[in-house]
């Protein structure tokens, strides 16, 4: 104000405060740019989408396929929506050596309903007009993974399954009936196992959305012609500590002392399925001798290929789907205690 006089001392004080302010903001900006800026770059695989074998496994009738002109929706440029497969083809200059196996990862929004294939009606439905859609993450010959959505309705499935399927219910309710009439109801949070050789009936009582793992393997010998049954495992059996077996601290830890807890809910060779809980810490995985797929139920962790650059590390959170193929080596860094549903197949 004109009536207010500012002394020379006040002017010096104001100038010093201004210099300090700009120095502080420049320092914070430099710190954010160097430390906090994202440094990851994701390589998006060409995920196969030939799903006739999976869809046909839901019944003995051929399921209507998407029109030949349909192609997968374009992969978003936002990395958090991309399915992820690390690319290590150049890890070794010797072209005579096979490339190191890579892992596959997709967040839940990769399987959003509007990104699935166009819905197709089931030709053998005898209740309602169920239509299903799908999207696949990967197909490793004997193991595949993806997501499936189906509207309400029902259909018979009298022919024995040619594969074993493990799936986790994201939404909806349904019922599976064994060939002798035993009923199995399932809903959100349940894990369902359809063993090879199972036959019976599907009823989608409320639109169902699930993520799945399918294993192709040799026939499993039955004893006394017993009925092959569906198995439904509720969520609490996978996540409650009282239901787990303690394996102690992981021996190949790279950070901290991560404790491992696990349980097996299905074990019919060569397929196994169960739960896994790990407290914060780093784990080294060396040369997997099986295909290993899992769905993250809770927690946060990073997966990194052995020998890869920082940009090839993937953050995994609840809802993510991951497949680690046979022969994979790398690191798991658990930031927040992780709970996951896993399934393995001796390949």
């Amino acid at each position: 104000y004109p009536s207010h006089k500012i002394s020379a001392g006040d002017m010096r004080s104001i100038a010093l405060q201004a210099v300090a302010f700009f120095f502080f903001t420049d320092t914070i900006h430099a710190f954010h740019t160097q430390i906090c800026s994202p440094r990851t770059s994701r390589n998006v695989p060409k995920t196969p989408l030939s799903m006739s074998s999976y869809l046909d496994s839901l019944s003995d009738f051929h399921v209507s396929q998407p029109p030949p002109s349909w192609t997968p929706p374009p992969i978003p440029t936002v990395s958090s929506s991309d399915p992820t497969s690390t690319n290590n083809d150049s890890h070794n200059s010797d072209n005579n050596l096979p490339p190191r196996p890579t892992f596959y990862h997709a967040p839940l929004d990769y399987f959003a309903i509007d990104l699935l294939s166009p819905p197709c009606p089931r030709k053998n439905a005898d209740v309602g007009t169920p239509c299903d859609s799908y999207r696949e993450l990967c197909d490793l010959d004997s193991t595949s993974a993806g997501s499936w959505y189906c509207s309400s309705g029902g259909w018979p499935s009298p022919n024995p399954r040619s594969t074993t399927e493990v799936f986790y219910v994201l939404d909806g309710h349904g019922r599976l009936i064994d060939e002798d009439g035993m009923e199995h109801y399932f809903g959100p949070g349940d894990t369902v196992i359809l063993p090879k050789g199972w036959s019976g009936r599907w009823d989608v009582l409320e639109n169902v959305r699930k993520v799945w793992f399918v294993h192709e393997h040799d026939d499993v010998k039955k004893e006394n012609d017993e009925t092959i049954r569906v198995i439904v495992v509720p969520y609490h059996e996978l996540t409650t500590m009282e239901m787990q077996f303690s394996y102690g601290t992981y021996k190949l830890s790279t950070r901290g002392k991560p404790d491992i807890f696990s349980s097996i809910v299905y074990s019919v060779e060569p397929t196994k399925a169960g739960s896994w809980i790990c407290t914060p810490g780093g784990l080294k995985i060396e040369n997997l001798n099986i295909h290993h797929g899992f769905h993250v139920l809770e927690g946060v962790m990073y997966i990194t290929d052995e020998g890869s650059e920082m940009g090839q590390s993937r953050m995994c959170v609840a809802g993510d789907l991951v497949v680690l193929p046979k022969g994979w080596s790398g690191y798991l860094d658990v930031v927040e205690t992780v709970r996951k549903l896993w399934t393995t197949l001796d390949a």
Side-chain angles (χ1 to χ4, degrees), residues 97-177:
L97 294 179
R100 180 187 296 120
T102 60
F103 68 89
Y104 298 85
H105 161 257
L108 189 57
D109 57 5
Y110 177 67
F111 300 115
I113 295 176
D114 59 347
L115 294 179
L116 304 181
S117 66
C120 296
R122 301 198 63 85
K123 291 183 177 180
N124 61 323
D126 56 8
V127 174
T129 55
C131 296
D132 53 9
S133 305
Y134 64 87
R135 194 174 190 185
E136 191 172 75
L137 172 64
C138 66
D139 187 345
L140 302 177
D141 296 328
S142 59
T143 299
S144 56
S147 183
W148 180 79
Y149 172 84
C150 188
S151 57
S152 59
W155 59 91
S157 185
N159 285 355
R161 285 185 58 91
S162 61
T163 60
T164 293
E165 178 181 356
V166 178
F167 68 83
Y168 179 83
V169 183
L170 299 170
D171 302 296
H173 294 83
R175 176 181 62 180
L176 290 158
I177 304 177

Side-chain angles (χ1 to χ4, degrees), residues 43-47 83-91 98-105 137-140 287-288 290-293 303-306 308 312 314 322-330:
N43 298 314
V44 180
K46 296 180 180 179
T47 53
T84 300
S85 171
T86 60
N87 185 357
N88 287 323
D89 291 348
S90 60
H91 80 281
R100 180 187 296 120
T102 60
F103 68 89
Y104 298 85
H105 161 257
L137 172 64
C138 66
D139 187 345
L140 302 177
N287 193 26
L288 277 176
I290 51 175
H291 291 321
H292 182 89
I303 303 178
T304 307
D305 273 327
E306 185 178 48
S308 70
Q312 293 174 325
R314 308 289 183 250
V322 178
V323 175
L324 305 177
K326 180 180 178 180
W328 183 79
S329 296

